[in-house]
Amino acid sequence: MLRTIDAARRPVEGDEDEGTPVSVKIRERLLAARRRFNANDNIAEFIEPGELEHLLDEVEGKMKHVLQSLVIDIENDHNTDNTARRVAKMYLNEVFKGRYVAQPSLTEFPNAEHLNELMIVGPITVRSACSHHFCPIIGKLWIGVMPNEKTNVIGLSKYARLAEWVMGRPQIQEEAVVQLADLIQEKTQPDGLALVVEAEHFCMQWRGVKEMDSKMINSVMRGVFLKDPNLRREFLSLLPRQR
């Protein structure tokens, strides 16, 4: 029998439920609060200090079982000796970080000059992973904002940080763009908001049909961008053509 380390059973120090996997504790809090915890949801508020490191240990232990079920000799293969740990760190601390950390802080400023002209931010590089196969989604994002005198102004880098936070979860592109639009709408309250994402999907390139040249483009239009076709055309005409 292959030797394994079940990190899922490693207890959190001082926890009265010693031996209970930390994922179970987090899940129980979510269920008690009747909160959804789908792949593209943020669950940071239900993770207590110190638990994320223990969750990393747990994922590492489960990942070792996956490698063993793939009939990989992780005890003697130097190439996969620490793969389970690397994968766990990649998921929790990098590509799916948007599930486990709180929303980045934003510095908001009043629209003191009463700006009311079209503003476009982009291209912002977005990186995510499809929730169907956990394959990368990588592309570009453009954001159009039509402010009003009551609109909160946020720094340009904050749009990128919000995009990274939302996209850093297992997603499908269509839902991710709506989720990001909802967040920006809530934070800035503009007269109009437009988002366009163009991305490559490795679940289509690396597997399945193995189509290397296709991209997915989708948009969300809110407020005056939805009502005013001239403004919508102006926004779209100013986006650089990706060829």
Side-chain angles (χ1 to χ4, degrees):
M1 179 181 293
L2 294 174
R3 178 172 57 86
T4 64
I5 300 175
D6 188 358
R9 286 307 197 181
R10 195 176 300 178
V12 178
E13 287 185 18
D15 199 314
E16 60 183 11
D17 299 323
E18 184 175 328
T20 302
V22 68
S23 65
V24 173
K25 299 173 186 175
I26 297 169
R27 188 178 295 109
E28 286 175 348
R29 292 178 202 132
L30 287 157
L31 291 171
R34 297 185 178 181
R35 286 286 295 274
R36 198 182 77 166
F37 50 102
N38 287 0
N40 62 349
D41 290 326
N42 179 271
I43 59 171
E45 65 182 287
F46 296 93
I47 300 175
E48 296 182 354
E51 285 188 333
L52 196 57
E53 184 63 29
H54 290 279
L55 190 59
L56 187 109
D57 292 339
E58 182 179 335
V59 173
E60 177 189 0
K62 298 294 178 60
M63 193 62 210
K64 286 184 177 182
H65 289 303
V66 171
L67 293 172
Q68 289 169 344
S69 293
L70 291 171
V71 197
I72 296 174
D73 185 359
I74 61 174
E75 301 300 329
N76 298 297
D77 177 11
H78 64 281
N79 287 314
T80 55
D81 177 54
N82 201 36
T83 294
R85 186 70 177 182
R86 286 191 292 265
V87 171
K89 290 173 69 175
M90 177 186 72
Y91 282 152
L92 292 176
N93 298 338
E94 296 178 277
V95 295
F96 298 157
K97 183 178 179 180
R99 295 197 77 233
Y100 305 105
V101 300
Q103 178 189 301
S105 59
L106 300 178
T107 302
E108 301 176 15
F109 305 95
N111 187 0
E113 298 300 322
H114 297 176
L115 301 174
N116 62 353
E117 299 293 336
L118 173 61
M119 178 184 74
I120 299 176
V121 182
I124 297 170
T125 299
V126 291
R127 303 172 184 85
S128 190
C130 79
S131 49
H132 298 155
H133 297 96
F134 279 17
C135 289
I137 299 172
I138 298 177
K140 299 294 183 182
L141 161 71
W142 291 266
I143 302 170
V145 177
M146 180 59 74
N148 58 51
E149 62 181 17
K150 297 180 181 179
T151 296
N152 292 325
V153 179
I154 62 175
L156 294 181
S157 66
K158 304 307 181 185
Y159 289 101
R161 292 189 186 280
L162 289 176
E164 181 183 38
W165 185 64
V166 169
M167 299 298 289
R169 308 167 195 176
Q171 290 275 16
I172 63 170
Q173 183 174 327
E174 306 94 308
E175 291 182 0
V177 178
V178 172
Q179 204 172 33
L180 181 58
D182 289 344
L183 181 60
I184 296 173
Q185 182 88 29
E186 176 190 342
K187 295 297 179 184
T188 61
Q189 297 296 315
D191 279 345
L193 178 67
L195 277 74
V196 171
V197 172
E198 177 181 274
E200 298 181 42
H201 289 240
F202 282 69
C203 58
M204 189 172 176
Q205 296 179 349
W206 192 27
R207 56 161 301 280
V209 296
K210 298 182 174 66
E211 172 55 56
M212 300 301 294
D213 297 323
S214 293
K215 296 181 180 180
M216 180 177 179
I217 303 173
N218 68 311
S219 66
V220 172
M221 302 288 168
R222 303 274 175 85
V224 290
F225 285 101
L226 193 61
K227 299 175 183 177
D228 186 344
N230 293 323
L231 178 63
R232 185 163 61 250
R233 278 195 293 270
E234 179 186 358
F235 167 69
L236 294 173
S237 70
L238 292 172
L239 303 186
R241 299 300 180 200
Q242 300 295 301
R243 294 289 185 264

